[in-house]
Amino acid sequence: MLSRDQMAEIGEPGDMEEVNEAQGLEGDRSSLKSTMKRNVKTQSDSPVKEKKLGMMKQFRESIKRVGERSHLASNSKESKDKSNSEQGGHGIDPEVTSPTHQLPPPPSPCLSAGSPMASPLKGLGGSFQRKEGGESAEDSLQKKHTRTHSDPSAIGDSLLKKGASIRRSLRLVGNKKDKALKQEQLQPVTEITVDEKREREKERVEIKESYILPEIPLTPLSVMQINKLIGMEVLEEAYLNLLSLCQEFQREREECTEEASSMELAKKEKDLRLLYNALLDKVKEIVRDSNSFPSRNKDLLVHVARVIQEEEKREAEPGVGGVVGPGGWRGAWREAVSEGVQATLKSVHLDRPEQNASWLAIHLGMLGKAIVEDLKKVKGELQGSYPPSFDVFSTYVSCYHGAVSQHLKRLQQQVTDLKDYYTLLDWIINHYESEKIMSSHSLRPEMEAENIGLSLEEGFLDQLKGKYCMRAKEEMRASLDKILELENEDMWIKKQAPATDDEHFFNSDIHMDIWTKVKSNAVNSKRIDADLEMGVVCSCLEELQQFPKQFENKFRYCCNSMENPSLWADYQITYINSFKALKEHMEGYRECCPTQVDHLSREVDGLVHRLVQGLEDQFKNDVRVREGEKFD
């Protein structure tokens, strides 16, 4: 132990008391004392004693500053001031605490049973949710609040951190061996803190299925007061007073004998129905908006679930209730969930087709992200506010299937281009159920037990595929018309000589243009569905069947008056070669579209035969002309 003189040299007694308050650090205290003894001895023998004393003075002042800035110190000071003020005679006005005193309206729309505001039901029931041992959530919250200010373990934790700070400061006068030893002693404390933090993050409060309804007040609040509580979302107190009002109505109805009383009862029954409808609307509003403000509504949803459960118990009892649909209160809850999901989908940005050529692809990409983010909130926050029987995650997933199906149906009405039909089909078949949306890793493991398919109306997908095929056929027709137009502009009008291939045969790009168009449609549709690929190819070949005759008519109309018979013959040879190549390309689709390939082959053969016949006629005519010239 240090003597009084040594203590005086080191610092004031008050400063040493702050150091000695670090309870539970027996090893650290002994190390601290031995270090201080060495410091005292060094100060008495060293010629630089004044310099050492200056260092210790700075050390004492730093300890004081840490204590003044400490949250624990401020809390202790506040608690002392509070206790002194209470003991000093500052009492509470008995009129304020009187049970008959008119309570002011709650200051917050999200008050629950655990709020510090004076509640007319505090002595009658508390919260819907209770612990198994009979302790209410309010008592638990109060104990937790008290523990924060006065629990020795909490003070010990704070002093533990202060002791660590002291040890770090004293390392300036210790050797390397002591420094390493102190670091080893501090390591377990850090590990425990991290482990506890991880455990708190993993903790998940689950609402139990069963609950104890708080005691219903004998005398209810007025209709206006109950309606105000509902509007301010103080659901627990509003609902209990509503039940009390119902009980009062039942008693009065049983005792009713006079006509005047009957009129009064009719008025009260009307008020009850209005209150029930207001409560139902408020419940649906909270549920509908819950995913937009999950943190604010987390505790409020607990009361919503308890109201629904209690009303389900009372459905078979005669009494007064709100206008609820066929599904009852649980059905109204599902309807509100569906409305909230629809609102989420409508909030996703959507350009008009004339504003952006990629309007649909952009919208569907944003839609998928919005769905995943919304379901992540349901998984991480909302489902913990409901009892297990509500099956919250499954309900939201089911609502999304239905809402997305209806949304796609509306989008389909705006689609006109082939690329947009492709985008819509590709998103439905390849993206919605993929890891990008419904099979996302962030939604596991809850999603593994769910159906991840859309709730499309019967025949909707087949109808969409049929429109895609029709649009592909229309675009094929437009492409063929464009080919004829380019051939006329580039070759026939200019009387351009046809090109030759590597083997010096006359050839044109007509067959390659047609084959490339059909091939691209087939490849794209195969990415969506094999049946769709077959439908698209058949549609293109059906349109292609008309092309040989159209080409022949256009060709003869533009070139019949051609004065150069040699160029005319070159054109005929060129198109004979091109259409034969086209027929060979289309033979690759015989397996999936045999009928269409047969029809196209016959049309091509007819065109080739007529071109060959025309070439022979021209050759014979040239021979006759030459022979006539010879005889002349």
Side-chain angles (χ1 to χ4, degrees):
M1 297 294 291
L2 298 177
S3 64
R4 186 177 299 275
D5 296 335
Q6 291 171 337
M7 292 287 287
E9 292 179 357
I10 294 175
E12 298 296 330
D15 297 335
M16 289 304 300
E17 287 179 1
E18 290 185 21
V19 176
N20 291 333
E21 284 177 359
Q23 300 176 359
L25 299 175
E26 208 50 52
D28 295 337
R29 269 206 314 271
S30 61
S31 177
L32 178 63
K33 291 177 180 179
S34 62
T35 303
M36 288 184 174
K37 288 179 180 180
R38 290 197 301 271
N39 290 342
V40 171
K41 183 177 180 180
T42 304
Q43 292 169 0
S44 61
D45 298 334
S46 175
V48 290
K49 179 178 180 181
E50 293 180 0
K51 183 177 182 180
K52 293 291 184 177
L53 288 175
M55 291 177 60
M56 293 308 298
K57 183 177 182 180
Q58 293 178 357
F59 167 67
R60 291 197 304 272
E61 292 177 352
S62 66
I63 294 179
K64 291 182 180 180
R65 287 195 296 270
V66 169
E68 291 172 355
R69 291 195 300 266
S70 164
H71 176 67
L72 179 62
S74 62
N75 287 345
S76 301
K77 184 177 180 180
E78 290 175 2
S79 61
K80 289 178 180 180
D81 294 340
K82 183 177 180 181
S83 61
N84 292 336
S85 63
E86 291 178 354
Q87 294 176 3
H90 298 285
I92 300 175
D93 190 352
E95 293 182 1
V96 176
T97 58
S98 174
T100 59
H101 181 68
Q102 180 72 27
L103 286 172
S108 171
C110 301
L111 289 178
S112 62
S115 70
M117 168 195 154
S119 169
L121 301 177
K122 283 296 168 74
L124 299 175
S127 174
F128 277 125
Q129 184 181 2
R130 292 178 177 271
K131 295 187 177 180
E132 296 180 355
E135 182 183 8
S136 66
E138 181 183 357
D139 298 335
S140 176
L141 183 62
Q142 184 66 26
K143 289 183 178 180
K144 183 177 180 181
H145 182 73
T146 306
R147 178 183 176 86
T148 305
H149 292 281
S150 59
D151 192 353
S153 63
I155 299 176
D157 291 341
S158 178
L159 292 178
L160 191 67
K161 296 178 182 178
K162 184 182 289 187
S165 176
I166 294 172
R167 290 197 302 274
R168 286 194 294 271
S169 300
L170 292 177
R171 286 175 193 161
L172 295 172
V173 295
N175 55 26
K176 295 182 178 180
K177 184 176 180 180
D178 293 339
K179 181 178 181 180
L181 180 60
K182 289 179 175 64
Q183 288 178 346
E184 292 179 359
Q185 293 175 349
L186 282 174
Q187 187 64 26
V189 176
T190 305
E191 291 179 355
I192 293 174
T193 305
V194 172
D195 292 341
E196 289 179 352
K197 183 178 180 180
R198 290 176 179 174
E199 289 297 326
R200 294 192 194 101
E201 292 176 353
K202 293 181 179 179
E203 285 180 358
R204 195 174 187 174
V205 179
E206 294 184 358
I207 305 300
K208 295 182 179 180
E209 189 67 36
S210 60
Y211 67 97
I212 300 175
L213 182 69
E215 184 178 354
I216 299 174
L218 296 178
T219 303
L221 297 175
S222 67
V223 173
M224 294 298 294
Q225 288 175 319
I226 297 174
N227 187 58
K228 189 172 184 180
L229 289 176
I230 293 173
M232 299 177 69
E233 298 181 352
V234 189
L235 295 187
E236 181 185 13
E237 298 179 6
Y239 182 62
L240 291 176
N241 278 276
L242 184 56
L243 293 180
S244 177
L245 195 62
C246 286
Q247 292 179 353
E248 184 180 79
F249 171 76
Q250 295 290 348
R251 290 193 300 268
E252 292 179 0
R253 186 168 62 178
E254 293 174 359
E255 300 172 358
C256 176
T257 55
E258 299 179 1
E259 183 178 352
S261 299
S262 300
M263 294 178 62
E264 187 68 24
L265 282 176
K267 181 180 177 182
K268 181 171 289 189
E269 182 177 4
K270 181 180 179 181
D271 292 339
L272 281 171
R273 291 191 183 279
L274 291 175
L275 287 176
Y276 259 106
N277 290 335
L279 178 63
L280 179 62
D281 291 341
K282 178 57 66 174
V283 165
K284 293 176 66 176
E285 177 189 340
I286 293 170
V287 174
R288 183 170 56 249
D289 301 337
S290 59
N291 227 9
S292 301
F293 311 100
S295 300
R296 183 182 74 86
N297 291 331
K298 188 173 183 180
D299 296 332
L300 193 58
L301 289 174
V302 177
H303 302 308
V304 167
R306 295 312 187 196
V307 168
I308 294 173
Q309 285 181 299
E310 189 64 26
E311 282 302 307
E312 287 179 334
K313 294 178 182 178
R314 297 170 181 268
E315 282 179 355
E317 300 178 5
V320 180
V323 180
V324 187
W329 282 76
R330 190 70 63 102
W333 173 76
R334 293 192 186 96
E335 181 182 351
V337 170
S338 180
E339 291 175 358
V341 166
Q342 293 173 18
T344 300
L345 299 182
K346 290 180 180 178
S347 66
V348 178
H349 179 73
L350 175 63
D351 286 327
R352 292 193 300 271
E354 58 272 16
Q355 291 178 322
N356 191 341
S358 303
W359 66 279
L360 186 59
I362 294 174
H363 175 71
L364 292 178
M366 297 171 63
L367 191 71
K369 292 180 180 180
I371 293 171
V372 174
E373 291 300 319
D374 208 38
L375 289 177
K376 283 169 62 177
K377 292 179 184 178
V378 174
K379 171 190 170 184
E381 301 184 47
L382 290 189
Q383 69 176 352
S385 299
Y386 291 93
S389 64
F390 278 75
D391 208 5
V392 177
F393 189 79
S394 295
T395 302
Y396 270 89
V397 170
S398 177
C399 288
Y400 262 111
H401 291 336
V404 171
S405 299
Q406 294 299 318
H407 186 68
L408 295 177
K409 187 177 179 181
R410 291 189 293 270
L411 287 176
Q412 179 261 340
Q413 298 173 359
Q414 305 179 49
V415 175
T416 55
D417 295 337
L418 182 65
K419 65 178 181 60
D420 291 333
Y421 278 113
Y422 173 83
T423 300
L424 189 58
L425 283 168
D426 184 55
W427 193 84
I428 293 173
I429 295 175
N430 295 329
H431 289 265
Y432 185 75
E433 299 181 14
S434 70
E435 293 183 355
K436 295 180 180 179
I437 305 178
M438 282 299 171
S439 296
S440 173
H441 293 283
S442 59
L443 302 180
R444 297 177 182 176
E446 282 82 355
M447 188 59 77
E448 294 176 356
E450 303 297 330
N451 176 22
I452 61 175
L454 285 167
S455 304
L456 297 171
E457 293 182 2
E458 185 177 357
F460 173 76
L461 198 57
D462 293 336
Q463 181 185 7
L464 196 58
K465 291 179 180 178
K467 291 183 177 181
Y468 180 81
C469 293
M470 289 297 297
R471 188 59 187 166
K473 187 176 182 179
E474 292 173 359
E475 289 204 359
M476 188 69 195
R477 184 186 305 136
S479 298
L480 295 175
D481 293 340
K482 188 67 175 178
I483 289 173
L484 289 176
E485 183 181 347
L486 291 175
E487 196 71 13
N488 182 42
E489 292 176 355
D490 297 341
M491 299 292 294
W492 303 335
I493 294 177
K494 298 178 180 179
K495 295 180 176 57
Q496 181 75 29
T500 57
D501 58 16
D502 296 338
E503 298 178 356
H504 303 289
F505 289 110
F506 289 123
N507 201 357
S508 74
D509 293 332
I510 291 178
H511 67 97
M512 287 301 300
D513 294 339
I514 296 174
W515 180 77
T516 302
K517 182 66 176 179
V518 176
K519 184 69 174 179
S520 63
N521 287 339
V523 170
N524 291 335
S525 57
K526 187 177 181 180
R527 294 172 184 165
I528 297 176
D529 187 83
D531 294 336
L532 182 62
E533 177 194 14
M534 184 175 65
V536 168
V537 172
C538 291
S539 298
C540 292
L541 292 179
E542 287 175 0
E543 187 60 37
L544 192 56
Q545 291 174 17
Q546 311 299 324
F547 182 67
K549 288 183 179 180
Q550 293 173 357
F551 177 84
E552 183 181 9
N553 295 333
K554 187 76 172 178
F555 173 62
R556 293 192 183 279
Y557 175 79
C558 296
C559 300
N560 265 344
S561 59
M562 190 173 292
E563 298 177 357
N564 187 350
S566 176
L567 184 60
W568 170 255
D570 291 344
Y571 281 158
Q572 287 177 311
I573 295 172
T574 299
Y575 298 131
I576 289 172
N577 294 335
S578 295
F579 276 92
K580 282 187 175 181
L582 177 63
K583 179 182 175 181
E584 292 176 2
H585 289 316
M586 295 303 108
E587 283 293 329
Y589 299 110
R590 179 173 290 278
E591 184 177 352
C592 64
C593 305
T595 304
Q596 286 78 9
V597 171
D598 285 340
H599 289 168
L600 178 61
S601 298
R602 286 195 294 269
E603 293 295 330
V604 171
D605 290 342
L607 173 61
V608 171
H609 175 73
R610 289 187 293 274
L611 291 175
V612 171
Q613 189 66 41
L615 193 61
E616 290 178 357
D617 294 341
Q618 182 180 353
F619 177 74
K620 291 177 182 179
N621 187 45
D622 289 344
V623 171
R624 283 194 297 269
V625 170
R626 290 178 182 179
E627 288 179 353
E629 292 177 352
K630 182 178 180 182
F631 288 122
D632 291 341

